[in-house]
């Protein structure tokens, strides 16, 4: 799992991790190449977090097993903004948690491959 993104759902009131998961590749007969961790996280929170209090932490595993920062791509950034999750999605960078949103996000690698950009 060296290039897989991982997600975690944290409830700050109870101070526990509620659930975790990974992004996943879609099959050949699907209209997308993969489903990103951000998409899975937002769908989870929309289903189970009725009070909008959960925080989402996203990271990526390096080949040696340590956690690297993972930032939202262009499509995921639009999704985060659409559902107003800007202040609730984080990644680990330089020993602390920072926002997973960038000012100028890149197009995802899967989209570049599929559309030969």
């Amino acid at each position: 799992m060296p290039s897989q993104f991982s997600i975690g759902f944290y409830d700050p009131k109870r101070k526990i991790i509620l659930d975790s998961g990974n992004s996943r590749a879609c099959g050949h007969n699907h209209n997308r190449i993969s489903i990103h961790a951000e998409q899975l996280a937002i769908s989870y929170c929309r289903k189970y977090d009725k009070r909008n209090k959960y925080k989402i932490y996203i990271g990526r595993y390096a080949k040696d097993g340590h956690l690297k920062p993972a930032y939202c791509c262009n499509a995921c950034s639009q999704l985060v903004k659409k559902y107003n999750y800007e202040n609730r999605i984080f990644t680990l960078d330089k020993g602390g948690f920072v926002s997973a949103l960038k000012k100028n996000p890149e197009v995802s690698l899967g989209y570049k491959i599929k559309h030969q950009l």
Side-chain angles (χ1 to χ4, degrees), residues 51-70:
R51 295 183 183 156
N52 295 328
K53 61 181 179 176
Y54 296 169
K55 293 182 181 179
I56 301 166
Y57 295 96
I58 298 176
R60 183 176 65 198
Y61 288 108
K63 289 183 181 181
D64 63 1
H66 77 277
L67 198 60
K68 295 175 24 177

Side-chain angles (χ1 to χ4, degrees), residues 47-103:
K47 183 175 180 181
Y48 295 109
D49 184 21
K50 301 302 181 191
R51 295 183 183 156
N52 295 328
K53 61 181 179 176
Y54 296 169
K55 293 182 181 179
I56 301 166
Y57 295 96
I58 298 176
R60 183 176 65 198
Y61 288 108
K63 289 183 181 181
D64 63 1
H66 77 277
L67 198 60
K68 295 175 24 177
Y71 295 97
C72 297
C73 69
N74 189 28
C76 292
S77 294
Q78 290 176 3
L79 190 66
V80 166
K81 290 175 184 173
K82 177 181 178 180
Y83 291 111
N84 200 20
Y85 279 75
E86 291 100 337
N87 298 324
R88 297 178 18 192
I89 189 163
F90 302 97
T91 189
L92 183 66
D93 192 16
K94 298 177 185 160
F97 290 105
V98 296
S99 176
L101 294 174
K102 284 187 170 181
K103 291 186 182 187

Side-chain angles (χ1 to χ4, degrees), residues 3 9 11 15 17 20 23 25 32 36 38 47 53 59-61 75 77 79 88 94 106 110-111:
S3 65
F9 307 99
D11 184 352
K15 297 180 182 175
I17 296 173
S20 62
S23 60
R32 295 182 184 179
H36 292 189
E38 297 91 335
K47 183 175 180 181
K53 61 181 179 176
R60 183 176 65 198
Y61 288 108
S77 294
L79 190 66
R88 297 178 18 192
K94 298 177 185 160
E106 295 182 19
Y111 186 86

